[in-house]
Amino acid sequence: MLTSYEQIAFILLIIVCGAIAFQRFNELIAIVRKGQPAAHNTEFIIRLIKALVDVGAQKTIAKSRPVSSTFHALIFFGFSFYVIVNVNDILEAYVHGWTTVASTNPIAQTFNILSDLFSMAVLSGVVFFLIRRFVFKPKAFEFNPNVKLEPGVAAGGIKRDSLIVGVFILVHVGSRWLGTVFHLAEKQHFDPFMPTASVVAPLFYNSAGLEVGIHVAWWLAMGLIVMFLPYFPKSKHIHLMIAPLNLAFKRDNAFGELEKPANKSKPGAKELNDLPLNRVLNAYACIMCNRCQEVCPAHESGAPLSPGALEINKRYYINRNAKALAGENGTADALLDYAISEDGVWACTTCFACANICPVGNEPIMDLIDMRRNQVFDAQMPAELADALRGLDEQGNSLGESARKRSGWTKPLDFKVKDATKDEVKYLWFVGDYASYNQNCLDNTRKFAEILNEAGIDFGIMGKKEKSAGNDVRRAGEEGLFEVLAESNIEAMNECNFEEVITTDPHTFNTIKNEYPALGGEFKVNHYSTFLLDMINSGKINLKKKLDIRATYHDPCYLGRYNGIYKAPRELMEKCGVDVVEMPRNKSNSFCCGAGGGRIWIPDHEDVKKRPSENRMEEASTLGVEYFAVACPKDMTMFSDAIKTVGLEGKMQTVDIVDLVWQAMGLDSKNGQEASSEKSAEAEKSTNNQADLNKINVSLN
Amino acid sequence: MKILVLLRQVPDLVEDLEVDDSGKALDVSEIKFKLNEYDEHALEEAILLKERGEADEVVALTQEGEGSEKVLYTALAKGATLAKSIAISGEASDSAQFAKLMAEAAKAEGGDMIMVGVQSVDDRDGQLAPIVAASLDMPCISAVTGVKVSGNTASIFKEYSGGIMAEFEADLPAVIGIQAAEQPPRYAPVSKIKQIQDSAEIGSLSASSSNGASSIEVLALAPPPKGEGAKMLDSGKDLLDVLKDLGVA
Ligand code: SF4
Ligand code: SF4
């Protein structure tokens, strides 16, 4: 038990430190509440319970870094138990005769053994993290030198904070454990329910000053917590409180559905409080682990974007300006002044890897899209993006092609594709921009048509009535144009007579599935991977041969991470006789090709050393497979280029899964005639020859 | 300082053009119109002047008709202060007549500087600026790539072939044919255009000067005759053979 002086001192300490912490918490709450309302479908309490269950099971953190996550679990469970330990220690300090040491009461014994073991768990966890961060210094903690950092972050704030928090836990738990050692030494007692402390205690048997030691240990354990309180709201340690809240406040609609801008007359986010409040909170949930950065294709390529730095910058900025931000007038600083550079905002491929991996449920990608919305509204954007958007506005496609020629790809086919705007069809095929116009994709587009035709499937297209579905327009921040495109498509689709939609484009698939309903377009939409698999399983499509090849498969972000379709394309490939070899980064951990969110229209940042598609191709090249299978027209373009730039031409070949089905159906040798897709392949060959000629021309010159 | 910007809609060349049954004109029913690219630059330059504080007002003018509202709302969304459509009675049968009608409307509106795109796909000889200037008795400088205004004079920059830059000074009012603005024309976000549509009014002007019939007559309009086509060679060797046959290798 503490002396009465100590008891009074402890209460005074609580009052002073508690008051400071209270005021800081209040500021924080005020700042978060200034954010825009967050959109939710379910009750807060349900979301909170779910969040607590997830946190309790350490589910969100277990998604990556298994070793760190295990040590984190040790700290987490230990610290959770320490709430009871702290209550016990206060009782011990104030209630005469209260102690669990050497008790024979089974409850006390249970408590003893748990606190003894959990102390060790926490200590070993913290030591692990300190060694990792300060001795091994993993690369994951380094930002690209071109990433914008808030002054506090640039000055080494993360390291300092990590050190303070680490040492705090070490001292708090270490002292508490040492206190139990002293208690046992004083009693010269070996308590089997306090095994680690009992082993060490004999070292102190008969030591002088054990009583003083017990008091000092108590103060270092309990006094320190109280003294830590004012620092707590500003430290990374606050994540233990904010992370569950953050998960509970998180939007709960489909991953692939963006929230509408909160303020239509001033869309997007310029300043902190233009963000929805749950994303202001993100800054305080962030534990600065940089898991998001580790999987970010933009950061990996050398671009000035780190999703982690974005959250950390926000937090340091708030810490530094909390008073002003909580006050009536706020601050006048724009997010672009401290959170991220303009180039960083445009570097995001919207691949969703950051949000998918973040252990505390942060969504840095959504901040970036909100900032884009604001930039676009102020006409601040890369010139190439402006050109693409202009084309989309004028012609309904991003390739600057004539809207009337949208169905031009059907010409070489030896059958007619139905016009769904005139005839009733069972399946409406939403072709999409790239599959309609891009030279790299046309063959596959025709092959899909030939498959459908061969299988006798009743389908049609909308031709010039179809416009870009708008998925990437929306993610580039041009909400108004997205609505125009989507509404025009919905109107055209509503005028057609069909049962279901099919598309080869995961971007199109995503927006029709997840975003068109909010605009009144309720359609059942299928990606061709699931569709073809269904057709094979139901016997509509007959596979005649096994291809007997080895290939790896690249999960497109908008099919996999956004919509959870991982199995169908793999199964489809296997049915075609393909031995599917996985890349190290697969399924939800797939690595983006770099084309999404409008990036395909914007040139690479000058600091980019290796494009995401090239990085991915090198990953595949280690597998010893000949084929790199894709399930997205944009991937066909991106990876066909990457194969050339990384010098894998002749060794590896990009192939669309539709091509595999087409071959397995025997359509490549149909009736001994050339199939029409092959004819156009011939045409392409002659273009290549043309390129050869150009080369020769040059050398002749 | 008030700048008038004359905006024209021209056929969008992304679509194939077709000649109508008369064989003398384009088939307008099949054409998609868009804002003339050079006019976008003229508008951009005018808005830049306003943003730099060198101009107070930018008035966007265009001929009334299909799509004219979109052109004007877009101009407002980009930063024009006022937008007016010009109702033309009768028909301008050549570009000179059209220019005179524009001049009439510009005069009615009144301004210190008139900016137009240096040319357009249907006015390759760039007649608009000089004829407007002549009709209004103003100086004209065309193929301009930058403008600065101070008080009543404008410094005008122009690029000649061979990379020679020239700087002119002109007393205002003047007519300027813009070849390229100092920065690429900005993009007008659709949501901003929609907002403007709900809040801004489009004014109107009219022009009706009758110049009688045009003295130029179109005799025929047709796509260029098709060439004989190219022969695709399979290899460099084939090329050498061809060159040998021609006696050049
Ligand atoms: S969405 Fe992808 S590219 Fe964008 S910040 Fe997140 S991880 Fe990086
Ligand atoms: S945002 Fe999430 S993943 Fe990224 S550093 Fe913060 S806590 Fe880690």
PDB file of all heavy atoms in Angstrom, chain A residues 151-182:
ATOM      1  N   PRO A 151       6.403  18.933 -41.859  1.00  0.00           N
ATOM      2  CA  PRO A 151       7.682  19.209 -41.190  1.00  0.00           C
ATOM      3  C   PRO A 151       7.960  18.302 -39.981  1.00  0.00           C
ATOM      4  O   PRO A 151       9.080  17.819 -39.809  1.00  0.00           O
ATOM      5  CB  PRO A 151       7.542  20.668 -40.745  1.00  0.00           C
ATOM      6  CG  PRO A 151       6.531  21.256 -41.658  1.00  0.00           C
ATOM      7  CD  PRO A 151       5.651  20.155 -42.134  1.00  0.00           C
ATOM      8  N   GLY A 152       6.924  18.039 -39.188  1.00  0.00           N
ATOM      9  CA  GLY A 152       7.112  17.182 -38.015  1.00  0.00           C
ATOM     10  C   GLY A 152       7.517  15.764 -38.410  1.00  0.00           C
ATOM     11  O   GLY A 152       8.297  15.106 -37.725  1.00  0.00           O
ATOM     12  N   VAL A 153       6.987  15.293 -39.521  1.00  0.00           N
ATOM     13  CA  VAL A 153       7.315  13.947 -40.000  1.00  0.00           C
ATOM     14  C   VAL A 153       8.726  13.960 -40.573  1.00  0.00           C
ATOM     15  O   VAL A 153       9.548  13.080 -40.290  1.00  0.00           O
ATOM     16  CB  VAL A 153       6.310  13.480 -41.078  1.00  0.00           C
ATOM     17  CG1 VAL A 153       6.611  12.057 -41.511  1.00  0.00           C
ATOM     18  CG2 VAL A 153       4.889  13.590 -40.564  1.00  0.00           C
ATOM     19  N   ALA A 154       9.018  15.017 -41.358  1.00  0.00           N
ATOM     20  CA  ALA A 154      10.345  15.128 -41.976  1.00  0.00           C
ATOM     21  C   ALA A 154      11.424  15.193 -40.905  1.00  0.00           C
ATOM     22  O   ALA A 154      12.540  14.706 -41.096  1.00  0.00           O
ATOM     23  CB  ALA A 154      10.400  16.349 -42.875  1.00  0.00           C
ATOM     24  N   ALA A 155      11.091  15.781 -39.756  1.00  0.00           N
ATOM     25  CA  ALA A 155      12.086  15.926 -38.697  1.00  0.00           C
ATOM     26  C   ALA A 155      12.254  14.639 -37.891  1.00  0.00           C
ATOM     27  O   ALA A 155      12.876  14.637 -36.827  1.00  0.00           O
ATOM     28  CB  ALA A 155      11.697  17.079 -37.781  1.00  0.00           C
ATOM     29  N   GLY A 156      11.695  13.554 -38.344  1.00  0.00           N
ATOM     30  CA  GLY A 156      11.907  12.269 -37.664  1.00  0.00           C
ATOM     31  C   GLY A 156      10.877  11.976 -36.600  1.00  0.00           C
ATOM     32  O   GLY A 156      11.127  11.198 -35.673  1.00  0.00           O
ATOM     33  N   GLY A 157       9.709  12.591 -36.729  1.00  0.00           N
ATOM     34  CA  GLY A 157       8.657  12.424 -35.729  1.00  0.00           C
ATOM     35  C   GLY A 157       8.233  10.972 -35.515  1.00  0.00           C
ATOM     36  O   GLY A 157       7.936  10.569 -34.386  1.00  0.00           O
ATOM     37  N   ILE A 158       8.226  10.197 -36.599  1.00  0.00           N
ATOM     38  CA  ILE A 158       7.732   8.823 -36.464  1.00  0.00           C
ATOM     39  C   ILE A 158       8.671   7.999 -35.581  1.00  0.00           C
ATOM     40  O   ILE A 158       8.236   7.272 -34.697  1.00  0.00           O
ATOM     41  CB  ILE A 158       7.605   8.156 -37.848  1.00  0.00           C
ATOM     42  CG1 ILE A 158       6.686   8.991 -38.733  1.00  0.00           C
ATOM     43  CG2 ILE A 158       7.099   6.732 -37.720  1.00  0.00           C
ATOM     44  CD1 ILE A 158       6.587   8.494 -40.156  1.00  0.00           C
ATOM     45  N   LYS A 159       9.957   8.168 -35.821  1.00  0.00           N
ATOM     46  CA  LYS A 159      10.943   7.420 -35.028  1.00  0.00           C
ATOM     47  C   LYS A 159      10.833   7.801 -33.567  1.00  0.00           C
ATOM     48  O   LYS A 159      10.843   6.956 -32.675  1.00  0.00           O
ATOM     49  CB  LYS A 159      12.356   7.770 -35.514  1.00  0.00           C
ATOM     50  CG  LYS A 159      12.867   6.820 -36.557  1.00  0.00           C
ATOM     51  CD  LYS A 159      14.352   7.007 -36.711  1.00  0.00           C
ATOM     52  CE  LYS A 159      14.865   5.986 -37.709  1.00  0.00           C
ATOM     53  NZ  LYS A 159      16.087   6.387 -38.337  1.00  0.00           N
ATOM     54  N   ARG A 160      10.752   9.114 -33.342  1.00  0.00           N
ATOM     55  CA  ARG A 160      10.715   9.564 -31.954  1.00  0.00           C
ATOM     56  C   ARG A 160       9.484   9.016 -31.250  1.00  0.00           C
ATOM     57  O   ARG A 160       9.553   8.497 -30.142  1.00  0.00           O
ATOM     58  CB  ARG A 160      10.718  11.098 -31.919  1.00  0.00           C
ATOM     59  CG  ARG A 160      11.306  11.628 -30.625  1.00  0.00           C
ATOM     60  CD  ARG A 160      11.178  13.110 -30.499  1.00  0.00           C
ATOM     61  NE  ARG A 160       9.825  13.531 -30.803  1.00  0.00           N
ATOM     62  CZ  ARG A 160       9.525  14.679 -31.388  1.00  0.00           C
ATOM     63  NH1 ARG A 160      10.476  15.502 -31.766  1.00  0.00           N
ATOM     64  NH2 ARG A 160       8.267  15.006 -31.617  1.00  0.00           N
ATOM     65  N   ASP A 161       8.356   9.126 -31.937  1.00  0.00           N
ATOM     66  CA  ASP A 161       7.111   8.662 -31.342  1.00  0.00           C
ATOM     67  C   ASP A 161       7.180   7.157 -31.064  1.00  0.00           C
ATOM     68  O   ASP A 161       6.768   6.681 -30.000  1.00  0.00           O
ATOM     69  CB  ASP A 161       5.959   8.987 -32.301  1.00  0.00           C
ATOM     70  CG  ASP A 161       4.607   8.783 -31.652  1.00  0.00           C
ATOM     71  OD1 ASP A 161       4.529   8.856 -30.414  1.00  0.00           O
ATOM     72  OD2 ASP A 161       3.627   8.546 -32.385  1.00  0.00           O
ATOM     73  N   SER A 162       7.722   6.419 -32.045  1.00  0.00           N
ATOM     74  CA  SER A 162       7.814   4.969 -31.861  1.00  0.00           C
ATOM     75  C   SER A 162       8.708   4.640 -30.666  1.00  0.00           C
ATOM     76  O   SER A 162       8.422   3.732 -29.887  1.00  0.00           O
ATOM     77  CB  SER A 162       8.404   4.309 -33.112  1.00  0.00           C
ATOM     78  OG  SER A 162       7.625   4.630 -34.225  1.00  0.00           O
ATOM     79  N   LEU A 163       9.790   5.401 -30.532  1.00  0.00           N
ATOM     80  CA  LEU A 163      10.715   5.155 -29.420  1.00  0.00           C
ATOM     81  C   LEU A 163      10.042   5.467 -28.082  1.00  0.00           C
ATOM     82  O   LEU A 163      10.097   4.667 -27.142  1.00  0.00           O
ATOM     83  CB  LEU A 163      11.972   6.014 -29.598  1.00  0.00           C
ATOM     84  CG  LEU A 163      13.105   5.705 -28.631  1.00  0.00           C
ATOM     85  CD1 LEU A 163      13.634   4.292 -28.872  1.00  0.00           C
ATOM     86  CD2 LEU A 163      14.251   6.708 -28.791  1.00  0.00           C
ATOM     87  N   ILE A 164       9.370   6.607 -28.048  1.00  0.00           N
ATOM     88  CA  ILE A 164       8.704   6.987 -26.791  1.00  0.00           C
ATOM     89  C   ILE A 164       7.677   5.926 -26.392  1.00  0.00           C
ATOM     90  O   ILE A 164       7.653   5.453 -25.256  1.00  0.00           O
ATOM     91  CB  ILE A 164       8.014   8.369 -26.925  1.00  0.00           C
ATOM     92  CG1 ILE A 164       9.076   9.462 -27.107  1.00  0.00           C
ATOM     93  CG2 ILE A 164       7.148   8.665 -25.702  1.00  0.00           C
ATOM     94  CD1 ILE A 164       8.505  10.839 -27.379  1.00  0.00           C
ATOM     95  N   VAL A 165       6.855   5.543 -27.339  1.00  0.00           N
ATOM     96  CA  VAL A 165       5.801   4.577 -27.032  1.00  0.00           C
ATOM     97  C   VAL A 165       6.417   3.231 -26.631  1.00  0.00           C
ATOM     98  O   VAL A 165       5.985   2.597 -25.655  1.00  0.00           O
ATOM     99  CB  VAL A 165       4.831   4.415 -28.226  1.00  0.00           C
ATOM    100  CG1 VAL A 165       3.863   3.269 -27.974  1.00  0.00           C
ATOM    101  CG2 VAL A 165       4.058   5.706 -28.449  1.00  0.00           C
ATOM    102  N   GLY A 166       7.451   2.824 -27.374  1.00  0.00           N
ATOM    103  CA  GLY A 166       8.106   1.546 -27.071  1.00  0.00           C
ATOM    104  C   GLY A 166       8.685   1.544 -25.666  1.00  0.00           C
ATOM    105  O   GLY A 166       8.463   0.620 -24.870  1.00  0.00           O
ATOM    106  N   VAL A 167       9.418   2.608 -25.340  1.00  0.00           N
ATOM    107  CA  VAL A 167      10.054   2.686 -24.024  1.00  0.00           C
ATOM    108  C   VAL A 167       8.989   2.777 -22.929  1.00  0.00           C
ATOM    109  O   VAL A 167       9.104   2.151 -21.875  1.00  0.00           O
ATOM    110  CB  VAL A 167      11.034   3.872 -23.966  1.00  0.00           C
ATOM    111  CG1 VAL A 167      11.518   4.113 -22.539  1.00  0.00           C
ATOM    112  CG2 VAL A 167      12.210   3.618 -24.902  1.00  0.00           C
ATOM    113  N   PHE A 168       7.937   3.515 -23.223  1.00  0.00           N
ATOM    114  CA  PHE A 168       6.861   3.627 -22.243  1.00  0.00           C
ATOM    115  C   PHE A 168       6.297   2.239 -21.888  1.00  0.00           C
ATOM    116  O   PHE A 168       6.163   1.879 -20.722  1.00  0.00           O
ATOM    117  CB  PHE A 168       5.747   4.532 -22.788  1.00  0.00           C
ATOM    118  CG  PHE A 168       4.405   4.284 -22.144  1.00  0.00           C
ATOM    119  CD1 PHE A 168       4.161   4.688 -20.833  1.00  0.00           C
ATOM    120  CD2 PHE A 168       3.392   3.619 -22.830  1.00  0.00           C
ATOM    121  CE1 PHE A 168       2.943   4.419 -20.222  1.00  0.00           C
ATOM    122  CE2 PHE A 168       2.167   3.352 -22.236  1.00  0.00           C
ATOM    123  CZ  PHE A 168       1.941   3.756 -20.928  1.00  0.00           C
ATOM    124  N   ILE A 169       6.013   1.461 -22.913  1.00  0.00           N
ATOM    125  CA  ILE A 169       5.436   0.133 -22.647  1.00  0.00           C
ATOM    126  C   ILE A 169       6.447  -0.737 -21.890  1.00  0.00           C
ATOM    127  O   ILE A 169       6.110  -1.447 -20.932  1.00  0.00           O
ATOM    128  CB  ILE A 169       5.012  -0.556 -23.958  1.00  0.00           C
ATOM    129  CG1 ILE A 169       3.950   0.279 -24.669  1.00  0.00           C
ATOM    130  CG2 ILE A 169       4.474  -1.962 -23.676  1.00  0.00           C
ATOM    131  CD1 ILE A 169       3.513  -0.274 -26.012  1.00  0.00           C
ATOM    132  N   LEU A 170       7.680  -0.629 -22.350  1.00  0.00           N
ATOM    133  CA  LEU A 170       8.738  -1.418 -21.718  1.00  0.00           C
ATOM    134  C   LEU A 170       8.836  -1.102 -20.222  1.00  0.00           C
ATOM    135  O   LEU A 170       8.857  -1.996 -19.368  1.00  0.00           O
ATOM    136  CB  LEU A 170      10.060  -1.057 -22.414  1.00  0.00           C
ATOM    137  CG  LEU A 170      11.109  -2.129 -22.643  1.00  0.00           C
ATOM    138  CD1 LEU A 170      10.519  -3.333 -23.334  1.00  0.00           C
ATOM    139  CD2 LEU A 170      12.251  -1.552 -23.497  1.00  0.00           C
ATOM    140  N   VAL A 171       8.832   0.200 -19.906  1.00  0.00           N
ATOM    141  CA  VAL A 171       8.990   0.609 -18.507  1.00  0.00           C
ATOM    142  C   VAL A 171       7.727   0.280 -17.711  1.00  0.00           C
ATOM    143  O   VAL A 171       7.789  -0.256 -16.607  1.00  0.00           O
ATOM    144  CB  VAL A 171       9.316   2.118 -18.421  1.00  0.00           C
ATOM    145  CG1 VAL A 171       9.357   2.574 -16.954  1.00  0.00           C
ATOM    146  CG2 VAL A 171      10.643   2.393 -19.107  1.00  0.00           C
ATOM    147  N   HIS A 172       6.585   0.567 -18.319  1.00  0.00           N
ATOM    148  CA  HIS A 172       5.327   0.348 -17.617  1.00  0.00           C
ATOM    149  C   HIS A 172       5.167  -1.135 -17.246  1.00  0.00           C
ATOM    150  O   HIS A 172       4.995  -1.492 -16.080  1.00  0.00           O
ATOM    151  CB  HIS A 172       4.172   0.808 -18.510  1.00  0.00           C
ATOM    152  CG  HIS A 172       2.814   0.368 -18.049  1.00  0.00           C
ATOM    153  ND1 HIS A 172       2.307   0.697 -16.818  1.00  0.00           N
ATOM    154  CD2 HIS A 172       1.847  -0.370 -18.669  1.00  0.00           C
ATOM    155  CE1 HIS A 172       1.096   0.167 -16.683  1.00  0.00           C
ATOM    156  NE2 HIS A 172       0.801  -0.484 -17.800  1.00  0.00           N
ATOM    157  N   VAL A 173       5.281  -1.984 -18.242  1.00  0.00           N
ATOM    158  CA  VAL A 173       5.065  -3.413 -17.985  1.00  0.00           C
ATOM    159  C   VAL A 173       6.258  -4.015 -17.221  1.00  0.00           C
ATOM    160  O   VAL A 173       6.088  -4.810 -16.290  1.00  0.00           O
ATOM    161  CB  VAL A 173       4.808  -4.165 -19.313  1.00  0.00           C
ATOM    162  CG1 VAL A 173       4.706  -5.659 -19.076  1.00  0.00           C
ATOM    163  CG2 VAL A 173       3.536  -3.637 -19.967  1.00  0.00           C
ATOM    164  N   GLY A 174       7.456  -3.582 -17.616  1.00  0.00           N
ATOM    165  CA  GLY A 174       8.666  -4.105 -16.954  1.00  0.00           C
ATOM    166  C   GLY A 174       8.650  -3.782 -15.465  1.00  0.00           C
ATOM    167  O   GLY A 174       8.946  -4.649 -14.629  1.00  0.00           O
ATOM    168  N   SER A 175       8.276  -2.551 -15.119  1.00  0.00           N
ATOM    169  CA  SER A 175       8.289  -2.158 -13.707  1.00  0.00           C
ATOM    170  C   SER A 175       7.226  -2.910 -12.924  1.00  0.00           C
ATOM    171  O   SER A 175       7.434  -3.313 -11.784  1.00  0.00           O
ATOM    172  CB  SER A 175       8.024  -0.665 -13.560  1.00  0.00           C
ATOM    173  OG  SER A 175       8.910   0.043 -14.350  1.00  0.00           O
ATOM    174  N   ARG A 176       6.086  -3.087 -13.568  1.00  0.00           N
ATOM    175  CA  ARG A 176       5.007  -3.796 -12.882  1.00  0.00           C
ATOM    176  C   ARG A 176       5.464  -5.223 -12.551  1.00  0.00           C
ATOM    177  O   ARG A 176       5.290  -5.717 -11.454  1.00  0.00           O
ATOM    178  CB  ARG A 176       3.787  -3.832 -13.822  1.00  0.00           C
ATOM    179  CG  ARG A 176       2.458  -4.076 -13.144  1.00  0.00           C
ATOM    180  CD  ARG A 176       2.195  -5.512 -12.850  1.00  0.00           C
ATOM    181  NE  ARG A 176       1.188  -5.658 -11.817  1.00  0.00           N
ATOM    182  CZ  ARG A 176       0.806  -6.839 -11.361  1.00  0.00           C
ATOM    183  NH1 ARG A 176       1.363  -7.935 -11.813  1.00  0.00           N
ATOM    184  NH2 ARG A 176      -0.101  -6.910 -10.429  1.00  0.00           N
ATOM    185  N   TRP A 177       6.099  -5.814 -13.534  1.00  0.00           N
ATOM    186  CA  TRP A 177       6.580  -7.193 -13.340  1.00  0.00           C
ATOM    187  C   TRP A 177       7.672  -7.212 -12.262  1.00  0.00           C
ATOM    188  O   TRP A 177       7.672  -8.053 -11.373  1.00  0.00           O
ATOM    189  CB  TRP A 177       7.133  -7.706 -14.675  1.00  0.00           C
ATOM    190  CG  TRP A 177       7.759  -9.067 -14.612  1.00  0.00           C
ATOM    191  CD1 TRP A 177       7.131 -10.268 -14.630  1.00  0.00           C
ATOM    192  CD2 TRP A 177       9.166  -9.361 -14.523  1.00  0.00           C
ATOM    193  NE1 TRP A 177       8.028 -11.304 -14.570  1.00  0.00           N
ATOM    194  CE2 TRP A 177       9.297 -10.760 -14.500  1.00  0.00           C
ATOM    195  CE3 TRP A 177      10.313  -8.578 -14.472  1.00  0.00           C
ATOM    196  CZ2 TRP A 177      10.543 -11.403 -14.415  1.00  0.00           C
ATOM    197  CZ3 TRP A 177      11.553  -9.199 -14.398  1.00  0.00           C
ATOM    198  CH2 TRP A 177      11.659 -10.607 -14.369  1.00  0.00           C
ATOM    199  N   LEU A 178       8.568  -6.208 -12.309  1.00  0.00           N
ATOM    200  CA  LEU A 178       9.642  -6.129 -11.323  1.00  0.00           C
ATOM    201  C   LEU A 178       9.064  -5.959  -9.916  1.00  0.00           C
ATOM    202  O   LEU A 178       9.555  -6.533  -8.935  1.00  0.00           O
ATOM    203  CB  LEU A 178      10.556  -4.948 -11.662  1.00  0.00           C
ATOM    204  CG  LEU A 178      11.992  -5.040 -11.165  1.00  0.00           C
ATOM    205  CD1 LEU A 178      12.684  -6.281 -11.724  1.00  0.00           C
ATOM    206  CD2 LEU A 178      12.771  -3.788 -11.575  1.00  0.00           C
ATOM    207  N   GLY A 179       7.975  -5.189  -9.836  1.00  0.00           N
ATOM    208  CA  GLY A 179       7.301  -5.005  -8.557  1.00  0.00           C
ATOM    209  C   GLY A 179       6.878  -6.359  -7.972  1.00  0.00           C
ATOM    210  O   GLY A 179       7.070  -6.622  -6.772  1.00  0.00           O
ATOM    211  N   THR A 180       6.347  -7.234  -8.831  1.00  0.00           N
ATOM    212  CA  THR A 180       5.913  -8.545  -8.322  1.00  0.00           C
ATOM    213  C   THR A 180       7.128  -9.360  -7.877  1.00  0.00           C
ATOM    214  O   THR A 180       7.065 -10.106  -6.904  1.00  0.00           O
ATOM    215  CB  THR A 180       5.111  -9.343  -9.375  1.00  0.00           C
ATOM    216  OG1 THR A 180       5.916  -9.479 -10.536  1.00  0.00           O
ATOM    217  CG2 THR A 180       3.825  -8.656  -9.736  1.00  0.00           C
ATOM    218  N   VAL A 181       8.253  -9.174  -8.596  1.00  0.00           N
ATOM    219  CA  VAL A 181       9.488  -9.858  -8.181  1.00  0.00           C
ATOM    220  C   VAL A 181       9.861  -9.422  -6.764  1.00  0.00           C
ATOM    221  O   VAL A 181      10.157 -10.244  -5.892  1.00  0.00           O
ATOM    222  CB  VAL A 181      10.639  -9.538  -9.169  1.00  0.00           C
ATOM    223  CG1 VAL A 181      11.972 -10.053  -8.632  1.00  0.00           C
ATOM    224  CG2 VAL A 181      10.356 -10.125 -10.543  1.00  0.00           C
ATOM    225  N   PHE A 182       9.810  -8.104  -6.552  1.00  0.00           N
ATOM    226  CA  PHE A 182      10.194  -7.581  -5.230  1.00  0.00           C
ATOM    227  C   PHE A 182       9.257  -8.101  -4.145  1.00  0.00           C
ATOM    228  O   PHE A 182       9.672  -8.439  -3.049  1.00  0.00           O
ATOM    229  CB  PHE A 182      10.198  -6.049  -5.228  1.00  0.00           C
ATOM    230  CG  PHE A 182      11.289  -5.460  -6.108  1.00  0.00           C
ATOM    231  CD1 PHE A 182      11.181  -4.151  -6.590  1.00  0.00           C
ATOM    232  CD2 PHE A 182      12.433  -6.196  -6.437  1.00  0.00           C
ATOM    233  CE1 PHE A 182      12.173  -3.614  -7.379  1.00  0.00           C
ATOM    234  CE2 PHE A 182      13.427  -5.646  -7.240  1.00  0.00           C
ATOM    235  CZ  PHE A 182      13.308  -4.354  -7.713  1.00  0.00           C
TER     236      PHE A 182
END
